[in-house]
């Protein structure tokens, strides 16, 4: 019964949670920055905004340094290297910035810059930019300062820091200006033992689609500004390579191919925003269809669950009613039996009390007769003792009284000295003797 009574509450909570989840707007999961640092100064969304500006700074810095090298040198090889640096460096920067997680994109751009700086600082007999090698080194060092400032902005409690970038650059350097680089995704845990990357959830992936499409559109818009320049730089590279070839026709063919390539790139650039918009609309329609189907399935599950809960409630209430009737009947029977037992007990108690009272009265009556007989005997004994004593005292009293009484008759009274004295008293003395309180005249 306890499990049946607890089950509806959990089912209702589950239904409410699923309903709220279906009604809410799908939100994206936290990025790697929130997963690895709870006290970060910025969020992944804010870091993405910083990265957009960082990509533009990186690209502009490389373009400016490469243009300065081109202006100072007429050597075709040095000019070729400067053009390759601009073309491939900016392309790799945008490729690194297009990563899904902003923190991973930030470290990938930093690794690209460190690899470029290590390539430029590598001691060789023939530097890539000749006497202008310091320009490329200075530009990379300035980008390093910007990267360090961004790391300070993120905070000091990240498990990923500059040591990861330095170690990765030392183990995976680039050897030329084509920038064939190793992927950092497969090497996170190799350099950072305590990092944990959570698996993406379905709702999180669906929620991130709009944000990812917006980011791709922003990067495409920024890269669109460099596409004409990229086409011109590729054309200049082809011209430089053609100048090194002895076959004029081959050079002209390469120039024609370059022009065609530039035209195709321009067409692709113009069609890319429309393509992204069309794909985005199709994806929105697919997501809306899936969401409607999901909500319909959730409503059906909710209706079935409510029906099951209603049946369970009816069954539980029926069981409770049956048990209540059985308990009331048992209580009534127990009360009747208890009343009968109490009545019999009272009768037995009264009977026993009557018997005890009768016995006590009989005992008191018998004992009272004995007490009266004993008192009578004691009274006779006391009377037998007191009668002679009283008689003796009476006789003694009369004897003593008779002895103290004086004789009035002179004849009968013997002549004693006291009588002679009385006879000699004067009448006044005799009067005072008889009346002591009176005075004679």
């Amino acid at each position: 019964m306890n499990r049946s009574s607890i089950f509806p509450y959990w089912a209702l909570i589950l239904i409410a949670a699923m309903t709220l989840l279906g009604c809410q707007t799908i939100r994206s999961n936290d990025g790697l920055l929130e997963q690895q640092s709870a006290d970060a100064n910025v969020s992944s969304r804010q870091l993405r905004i910083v990265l957009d500006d960082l990509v533009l700074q990186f690209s502009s810095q490389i373009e400016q340094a490469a243009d300065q090298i081109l202006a100072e040198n007429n050597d075709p090889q040095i000019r070729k290297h400067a053009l390759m640096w601009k073309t491939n460096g900016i392309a790799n920067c945008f490729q690194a910035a297009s990563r899904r997680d902003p923190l991973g994109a930030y470290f990938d751009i930093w690794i690209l810059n460190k690899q470029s700086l290590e390539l430029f600082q590598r001691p060789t007999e023939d530097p890539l930019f000749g006497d202008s090698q310091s320009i490329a080194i200075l530009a990379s060092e300035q980008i390093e300062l910007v990267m360090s400032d961004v790391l300070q902005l993120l905070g000091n409690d990240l498990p990923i820091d500059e040591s990861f970038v330095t170690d990765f650059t030392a183990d995976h350097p680039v050897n030329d200006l084509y920038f064939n680089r190793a992927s950092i995704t497969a090497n996170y845990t190799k350099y950072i033992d305590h990092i944990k990357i959570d698996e993406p959830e379905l709702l999180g992936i669906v929620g991130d689609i709009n944000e990812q499409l917006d980011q791709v559109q922003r990067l495409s818009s920024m890269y669109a500004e460099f596409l004409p320049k990229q086409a011109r730089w590729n054309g200049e590279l082809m011209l430089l390579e053609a100048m090194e070839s002895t076959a004029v026709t081959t050079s002209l063919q390469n120039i024609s191919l370059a022009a065609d390539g530039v035209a195709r790139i321009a067409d692709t650039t113009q069609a890319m925003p429309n393509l992204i918009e069309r794909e985005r609309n199709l994806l929105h329609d697919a997501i809306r269809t899936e969401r409607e189907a999901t909500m319909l399935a959730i409503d059906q599950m909710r209706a079935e669950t409510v029906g099951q809960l209603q049946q369970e409630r009816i069954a539980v209430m029926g069981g409770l009613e049956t048990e209540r009737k059985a308990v009331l009947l048992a209580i009534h029977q127990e009360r009747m039996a208890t009343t009968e037992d109490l009545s019999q007990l009272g009768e037995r108690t009264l009977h026993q009390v009557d018997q005890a009272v009768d016995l006590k009265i009989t005992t008191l009556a018998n004992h009272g007769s004995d007490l009266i007989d004993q008192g009578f005997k004691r009274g006779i004994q006391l009377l037998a003792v007191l009668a002679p004593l009283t008689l003796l005292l009476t006789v003694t009293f009369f004897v003593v009284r008779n002895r103290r009484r004086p004789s009035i008759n002179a004849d009968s009274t013997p002549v004693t000295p006291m009588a002679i004295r009385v006879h000699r008293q004067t009448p006044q003395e005799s009067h005072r003797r008889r009346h002591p309180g009176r005075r004679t005249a």
Side-chain angles (χ1 to χ4, degrees):
M1 188 195 312
N2 292 335
R3 295 183 60 185
S4 299
S5 62
I6 293 175
F7 172 75
Y9 297 103
W10 285 106
L12 290 175
I13 292 173
L14 179 61
I15 291 171
M18 295 176 67
T19 305
L20 291 176
L21 181 62
C23 295
Q24 289 178 351
T25 304
I26 299 178
R27 300 174 62 186
S28 61
N29 293 334
D30 293 336
L32 185 60
L33 180 60
E34 286 82 4
Q35 296 177 13
Q36 303 302 323
S37 175
D39 299 329
N41 297 329
V42 295
S43 62
S44 295
R45 187 182 299 273
Q46 294 171 338
L47 180 59
R48 176 63 70 183
I49 298 174
V50 174
L51 283 180
D52 293 342
D53 182 70
L54 184 61
V55 169
L56 294 177
Q57 291 187 30
F58 187 96
S59 303
S60 300
Q61 192 73 22
I62 292 178
E63 181 183 5
Q64 182 179 0
D67 291 339
Q68 187 176 356
I69 292 174
L70 289 171
E72 292 179 0
N73 293 275
N74 294 323
D75 188 355
Q77 194 67 23
I78 296 177
R79 295 178 66 86
K80 178 182 177 180
H81 290 165
L83 291 172
M84 290 178 64
W85 183 30
K86 289 196 298 183
T87 303
N88 298 328
I90 294 175
N92 275 271
C93 178
F94 276 91
Q95 182 180 2
S98 64
R99 288 186 173 274
R100 180 176 178 272
D101 187 84
L103 188 62
Y106 163 72
F107 280 104
D108 201 2
I109 296 174
W110 199 353
I111 289 173
L112 172 63
N113 187 69
K114 276 191 177 295
Q115 289 173 339
S116 302
L117 182 60
E118 190 274 337
L119 177 64
F120 299 153
Q121 291 178 343
R122 191 177 304 167
T124 57
E125 295 180 357
D126 189 9
L128 294 174
F129 305 111
D131 297 334
S132 301
Q133 188 80 5
S134 59
I135 298 176
I137 294 175
L138 180 61
S140 299
E141 289 176 350
Q142 291 177 353
I143 297 174
E144 280 290 311
L145 295 176
V146 176
M147 292 296 180
S148 299
D149 293 338
V150 175
L151 183 61
Q152 294 295 328
L153 177 64
L154 295 180
N156 299 324
D157 58 340
L158 284 174
I160 312 174
D161 53 10
E162 189 175 0
S163 61
F164 165 70
V165 180
T166 304
D167 296 339
F168 189 93
T169 302
D171 295 339
H172 304 280
V174 294
N175 298 319
D176 49 35
L177 293 175
Y178 290 100
F179 296 102
N180 294 321
R181 305 188 305 127
S183 175
I184 67 171
T185 304
N187 295 279
Y188 268 132
T189 56
K190 179 179 178 182
Y191 298 93
I192 306 171
D193 296 332
H194 52 277
I195 191 174
K196 179 181 179 182
I197 302 176
D198 296 334
E199 291 294 332
E201 298 178 356
L202 177 60
L203 293 178
I205 293 175
V206 173
D208 286 342
I209 289 177
N210 290 336
E211 185 177 354
Q212 293 299 317
L213 288 176
D214 293 337
Q215 177 61 23
V216 171
Q217 188 173 7
R218 288 197 301 270
L219 289 176
S220 300
S221 300
M222 291 188 296
Y223 193 58
E225 298 178 3
F226 291 91
L227 282 178
K229 298 179 182 180
Q230 291 277 357
R232 187 178 73 249
W233 298 338
N234 285 324
E236 292 178 7
L237 281 173
M238 291 180 182
L239 288 175
L240 289 175
E241 291 177 357
M243 292 175 61
E244 295 177 357
S245 176
T246 56
V248 179
T249 56
T250 304
S251 301
L252 293 176
Q253 186 178 2
N254 290 335
I255 294 174
S256 178
L257 291 175
D260 294 339
V262 171
R264 286 195 298 270
I265 290 173
D267 294 338
T268 303
T269 303
Q270 294 177 357
M272 185 175 293
N274 296 329
L275 176 63
I276 292 176
E277 186 66 23
R278 184 172 64 254
E279 292 295 330
R280 180 178 180 180
N281 293 332
L282 292 175
L283 188 58
H284 282 171
D285 294 338
I287 291 174
R288 184 173 62 254
T289 303
E290 291 294 332
R291 183 171 58 186
E292 291 176 355
T294 302
M295 292 302 299
L296 181 61
I298 290 174
D299 291 338
Q300 184 177 359
M301 291 173 60
R302 180 174 58 186
E304 293 176 356
T305 304
V306 170
Q308 292 178 0
L309 291 176
Q310 186 70 16
Q311 295 176 0
E312 289 287 339
R313 188 178 67 82
I314 294 173
V316 169
M317 294 303 295
L320 289 175
E321 183 66 22
T322 303
E323 290 188 3
R324 187 178 68 83
K325 291 180 179 179
V327 170
L328 290 177
L329 180 60
I331 291 173
H332 181 70
Q333 293 176 355
E334 289 291 336
R335 184 173 60 184
M336 295 297 294
T338 303
T339 304
E340 184 177 356
D341 293 340
L342 289 174
S343 178
Q344 294 177 0
L345 179 61
E347 292 178 358
R348 289 196 300 270
T349 303
L350 290 176
H351 182 66
Q352 292 176 359
V353 169
D354 291 339
Q355 290 179 353
V357 171
D358 293 340
L359 180 61
K360 185 62 68 177
I361 290 173
T362 304
T363 304
L364 290 175
N366 297 330
H367 189 62
S369 298
D370 295 339
L371 288 176
I372 292 172
D373 295 340
Q374 184 70 20
F376 186 72
K377 290 179 182 181
R378 295 297 181 183
I380 292 173
Q381 292 175 0
L382 181 62
L383 183 60
V385 173
L386 291 178
L389 183 61
T390 303
L391 183 57
L392 180 61
L393 291 175
T394 303
V395 173
T396 306
F397 173 74
F398 282 108
V399 171
V400 172
R401 182 179 179 186
N402 291 331
R403 286 181 180 181
R404 289 183 178 180
R405 179 180 298 172
S407 179
I408 354 176
N409 197 352
D411 296 333
S412 61
T413 303
V415 179
T416 59
M418 181 64 66
I420 297 173
R421 185 179 177 184
V422 171
H423 182 71
R424 291 179 178 178
Q425 288 180 350
T426 62
Q428 293 83 0
E429 291 178 356
S430 176
H431 185 269
R432 282 197 303 268
R433 186 175 186 90
R434 286 194 303 268
H435 302 284
R438 295 181 179 180
R439 293 183 179 180
T440 57

